[in-house]
Every structure is written in structure tokens, then in C-alpha cells.
Amino acid sequence: KDILNAPILKRTVRAMDRLTEIVDGRQCTIVSDDKCVEYRYGDDIDKLAAYEDTGLSPEKVALMKEKLSDNRLIELPCCLGDKVFQVKNGVIIAAYVDGIRFGNKRCCNNEEKYITLRDVYTNYSEKVSFSRFNQFCFATEEEAKRKLERIKQNANSV
């Protein structure tokens, strides 16, 4: 069932005009003078609202889909300036993402994509490959603590 072909939603829409809104805590499909004229329910409306929440235009989605299928879209494990947490030598070390590298110069176990981390306290810089990011480097301290606990449990069971 194609929600965009539903008669109630066929109207002239400028780029990224919303077709759904939350009014009085309920999903509304037609709003007039800041009041809900019609409520619609169901998976289709929820999916449409979720898509609208992204803020992406249909053209942008199509471009991303094309790049993804051509292997030209890379999901970054983190962003520049993010605080991340490494599990290293039995402790958790906080660091900031200082750089993200793509290219031909190989490092980090012969990988082309890596991030550069700068230790919060010592200013020591280290490179971590994308593929190892979620093995010993984590976006949250809680994830790092869980990893450290698993490492300690494995060491105690040997």
C-alpha cells in the first residue's frame, strides 16, 4: 500500500513540507490553523513520520542509496571531536577523536581507514582502524566498561 498515493495525502507539497505532525500528543496527517483536521493511524503513517523526521529530501535519499550501492558511502564509527573510551592494559582511557583518515597510505594493520585519537590527559596520539573501533574503542564509557568486564571474566576463567 503506497501511502503517498492515498487520496487524503495528494496535494501540492514543497520540498520537505511535512505531511504529518504531532498535535496534542497524537499523530495528525492534516493540520489547518495549528489544529488537527484529521488523524490517521497505522504503520504507513508511522513510517512516513519517521522519514519526515530525518529531514532528508527524496533526492538526498536517492543519492545516498546510489552511493551506498556503489560502495561510495562510508559509515563513520565516530565524529571529529567526539569523546571515546579505549580499553587498554586493563583500564579505560578517555580520548578525543582528533582525525579521520581515508586514502592510500596504509597503517593500522594495513588498513586505509582509521581514526586518530588524542588521550584526554596525556595528549598522546594513537591511530585506530575502523574495523577495530568497536573491539577496543567505544563511543560510550558504559560500552567500554562492559568490554573490560568481559576481558576480566575471560582472564579469570582460564
Side-chain angles (χ1 to χ4, degrees), residues 77 129-139 143 147 150:
S129 67
F130 280 23
S131 64
R132 291 199 51 192
F133 186 81
N134 286 318
Q135 293 175 3
F136 297 100
C137 187
F138 303 92
E143 290 173 293
K147 176 65 174 189
R150 283 193 304 272

Side-chain angles (χ1 to χ4, degrees), residues 78-90:
C78 54
C79 295
L80 283 173
D82 280 359
K83 187 174 184 179
V84 297
F85 302 88
Q86 288 183 282
V87 175
K88 197 171 186 180
N89 299 326

Side-chain angles (χ1 to χ4, degrees), residues 31-105:
V31 177
S32 178
D33 298 323
D34 294 329
K35 294 189 183 207
C36 187
V37 176
E38 183 168 338
Y39 293 99
R40 290 267 177 129
Y41 302 97
D43 290 342
D44 291 340
I45 294 298
D46 292 341
K47 287 176 186 176
L48 177 60
Y51 164 71
E52 290 176 328
D53 289 345
T54 68
L56 297 173
S57 69
E59 295 80 14
K60 187 67 140 180
V61 171
L63 180 64
M64 289 174 64
K65 184 178 177 183
E66 176 188 325
K67 288 184 178 188
L68 187 59
S69 67
D70 293 345
N71 266 346
R72 294 183 293 146
L73 188 63
I74 297 171
E75 184 178 351
L76 298 176
C78 54
C79 295
L80 283 173
D82 280 359
K83 187 174 184 179
V84 297
F85 302 88
Q86 288 183 282
V87 175
K88 197 171 186 180
N89 299 326
V91 295
I92 296 172
I93 300 169
Y96 287 101
V97 177
D98 195 36
I100 299 175
R101 171 93 172 141
F102 307 92
N104 297 327
K105 185 177 179 184

